[in-house]
Amino acid sequence: MKKLKQIAATLVSVILAGTVTVNASAAESMETPYRSPTLSSFPSNASLEDLEKTSDNEDLRIISSPSRGANYKTRAAEAVALLRIYSTTGSGSSSSFTNLGHSWLMITNLSGSTVNIAGINVADGKSITASTWDESVDVSREHKGLWLNLDSKLNSNGINLQNVSIQLPLRQIDLNTVNTNIKNNDKWGYLTNCSTFASKIWNSIASSSSKVDAGAINTPASLAKNITKVGEAESYTLLKYNTSSPHYDSVYYGYPPIKSNNNN
């Protein structure tokens, strides 16, 4: 906790203006001025030019839910969990040494009993976050790849709250797909970064009208713009601005999950 507060203090120089959702309903989101530091999962000196020059990344291993075309009412009636995709806003300038931002997923258990999600037993009504990070970032130096509950911990310390997000219900077949895709993609690269991980896993269970696009070169900024576009077009996805992922459990990395030392 002390380490995260120190990081938050050093991020003052990258605080960006934005909006926050207040009393948001399914029908509308009310926005008010908001400010939050953004912590990127990329190396601190990374730029879009670095992504454009990279060509040696191994693609993610993604399977798709066999019935992802089901309509929203069917999904909601059979839901055992909820998937929400987040991406920070205000990052992604083409200038060198910029803050490229971050994207992540949150899965909430709605099954009525404890369920294994991403290798962790999650109680009913609780959630976990999943994302990928480069090991050059202070909060993720133990591992390059998959991190669980790191994003909710950052949110609880006021970091990466300038974001946009949408959600979809998960049936058991969808949750199985999400679990498999998380398990198979414990990796991070310039071209297989956090926005690639979040968008491809989301799309593995999404219908065509709710699929998202992280751009020709995947970045959190491109993903954030497309999340907004999808959320505005499909009201059932419950578009929200600047919300926090609740933090319930310890931080883990890798698969099978290993408890991180970053839990103080």
Side-chain angles (χ1 to χ4, degrees), residues 7 22 27 30 74 96 157 180 184 202 213 220-221 225-226 234:
I7 291 172
V22 178
M30 297 174 60
T74 299
S96 297
N157 283 275
T180 298
N184 289 341
W202 171 275
D213 186 350
K225 290 177 182 178
N226 196 252
E234 305 293 343

Side-chain angles (χ1 to χ4, degrees), residues 132-184:
T132 57
W133 290 72
D134 183 63
E135 82 277 20
S136 69
V137 184
D138 282 345
V139 296
S140 56
R141 290 197 183 278
E142 293 170 277
H143 183 69
K144 180 176 183 176
L146 177 65
W147 281 82
L148 304 172
N149 291 330
L150 177 56
D151 298 289
S152 56
K153 184 174 184 182
L154 291 171
N155 285 176
S156 72
N157 283 275
I159 299 171
N160 287 350
L161 293 179
Q162 187 181 322
N163 59 60
V164 62
S165 67
I166 53 177
Q167 69 183 34
L168 281 175
L170 297 177
R171 298 156 296 167
Q172 187 61 56
I173 194 170
D174 301 321
L175 179 58
N176 293 344
T177 299
V178 168
N179 274 335
T180 298
N181 286 332
I182 290 174
K183 175 183 178 180
N184 289 341

Side-chain angles (χ1 to χ4, degrees), residues 14-87:
V14 296
I15 290 178
L16 304 168
T19 58
V20 61
T21 301
V22 178
N23 296 328
S25 67
E28 63 180 356
S29 291
M30 297 174 60
E31 301 172 26
T32 58
Y34 186 76
R35 296 169 70 84
S36 172
T38 299
L39 180 62
S40 177
S41 51
F42 293 76
S44 60
N45 63 347
S47 68
L48 286 178
E49 286 80 0
D50 293 323
L51 275 67
E52 292 167 354
K53 291 184 294 185
T54 301
S55 60
D56 59 352
N57 283 107
E58 179 185 356
D59 199 9
L60 298 188
R61 296 165 53 199
I62 298 292
I63 65 168
S64 296
S65 174
S67 58
R68 61 187 183 279
N71 62 42
Y72 178 78
K73 287 184 178 180
T74 299
R75 289 175 179 272
E78 300 175 3
V80 298
L82 194 65
L83 178 67
R84 181 165 282 272
I85 184 172
Y86 294 80
S87 200

Side-chain angles (χ1 to χ4, degrees), residues 42 47-48 51 87-88 91-92 100-103 190 193-196 199 213-225:
F42 293 76
S47 68
L48 286 178
L51 275 67
S87 200
T88 57
S91 301
L100 289 173
H102 183 54
S103 308
Y190 278 110
N193 57 64
C194 58
S195 64
T196 313
S199 62
D213 186 350
I217 297 178
N218 292 175
T219 65
S222 294
L223 180 56
K225 290 177 182 178

